[in-house]
């Protein structure tokens, strides 16, 4: 059974232990954990759930009605410093009888540690809202290359989608200066236990319209070294990870639909994990996560996260940062490695 959906308040609602909070949620850059921490100052929080598929409205449920009353009086229509000065619109709410319908059986995690994939790290709020705005403005002043369903930009070296590789003889120049806020914060991964050296020389910027995702793939071993960073901007999404017992997915994976990917004859032979990537979060794929697990963004307009529905934003932009490999790959996962086949 899923978590109950909550009614949107109409008119004056009766006091309850549940608060309907608008202008608040992952779609506006506020994680559920952050929201729970702020509202927890007024009493023990039972849970924080998305109120609808927009991702910008949540339900905060308390164990006691008086806690909800205190939070409403303190936070309603007032600038909240913990949320960057954002003004919240709060009303009482009650559960409805319907349930949130899931469109897939996979459980979506909010933390990388829950996936149990060695070498996978996630840092939320890696950059500030202002830095996000500046990065988006920077790429929007530069020319985009149009693909079938999305737009891309390449820096350092161009990635060739037909071969899933780069031409190391075609150097485009140093990485752009607007990356400085990102590169200066790479040491934050040390707090998660990652201690490797971060050397990067290739950037691909992807712009995804609503409903457009990415087919299952492993970044070509011979093309890139062992670290892949992915920074999410403007909108959230779900990223799924798959580990196939039969090795590498066919090279034509970008032509597969979601249904074909799920119903492939290989589908019964893989492990599945999924994680929610909020705006301004950065994901690191290293070790087994980079070399042995396919990553995949479902082609959905609505994602189901913790029994709630989140509508994708009108735009999601990702920055994928990598180090181009100059020799063959000698990783410990030969069954997935093009250099060792």
């Amino acid at each position: 059974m899923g978590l109950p959906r909550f009614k949107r308040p109409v008119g004056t609602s009766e006091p309850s232990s549940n608060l309907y909070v608008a202008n608040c949620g992952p779609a506006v850059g506020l994680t559920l954990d952050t929201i729970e921490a702020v509202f927890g100052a007024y009493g023990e929080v039972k849970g924080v759930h998305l109120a609808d598929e927009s991702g910008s409205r949540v339900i905060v449920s308390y164990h006691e009605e008086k806690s909800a009353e205190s939070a409403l009086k303190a936070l309603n229509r007032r600038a909240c410093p913990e949320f960057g000065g954002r003004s919240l619109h709060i009303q009482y709410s009650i559960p409805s009888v319907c349930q949130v319908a899931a469109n897939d059986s996979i459980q979506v995690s909010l933390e990388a540690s829950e996936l149990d994939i060695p070498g996978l790290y996630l840092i939320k709020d890696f950059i500030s809202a202002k830095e996000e705005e500046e990065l988006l403005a920077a790429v929007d002043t530069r020319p985009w290359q149009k693909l079938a369903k999305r737009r891309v930009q390449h820096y350092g070296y161009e990635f060739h989608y037909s071969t899933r590789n780069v031409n190391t003889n075609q150097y485009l120049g140093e990485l752009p200066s607007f990356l400085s806020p990102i590169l200066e914060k790479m040491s934050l991964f040390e707090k998660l236990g990652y201690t490797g050296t971060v050397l990067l020389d290739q950037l691909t910027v992807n712009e995804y319209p609503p409903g457009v995702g990415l087919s299952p793939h492993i970044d070509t071993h011979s093309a890139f070294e062992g670290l892949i960073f992915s920074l999410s901007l403007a909108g959230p999404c779900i990223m799924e990870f798959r580990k196939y017992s039969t090795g590498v997915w066919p090279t034509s994976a970008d032509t597969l639909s979601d249904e074909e990917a799920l119903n492939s004859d290989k589908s019964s032979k893989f492990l599945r994990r999924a994680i929610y990537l909020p705006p301004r979060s950065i994901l690191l794929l290293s070790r087994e996560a980079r070399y042995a697990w396919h990553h995949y963004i479902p082609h959905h307009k609505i994602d189901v996260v913790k029994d709630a529905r989140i509508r994708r934003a009108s735009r999601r932009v990702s920055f994928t940062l990598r180090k181009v490999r100059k020799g063959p790959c000698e990783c410990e996962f030969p069954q997935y490695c093009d250099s060792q086949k």
Side-chain angles (χ1 to χ4, degrees), residues 21 72 338:
V21 186
L72 188 148
D338 62 307

Side-chain angles (χ1 to χ4, degrees), residues 15-19 39 41-44 62-74 92:
S16 79
S17 60
N18 306 303
L19 297 177
F39 278 82
Y42 303 94
E44 186 178 358
Y62 287 97
H63 286 279
E64 297 184 2
E65 188 176 296
K66 64 179 182 181
S67 300
E69 180 183 7
S70 298
L72 188 148
K73 290 181 179 179
Y92 291 114

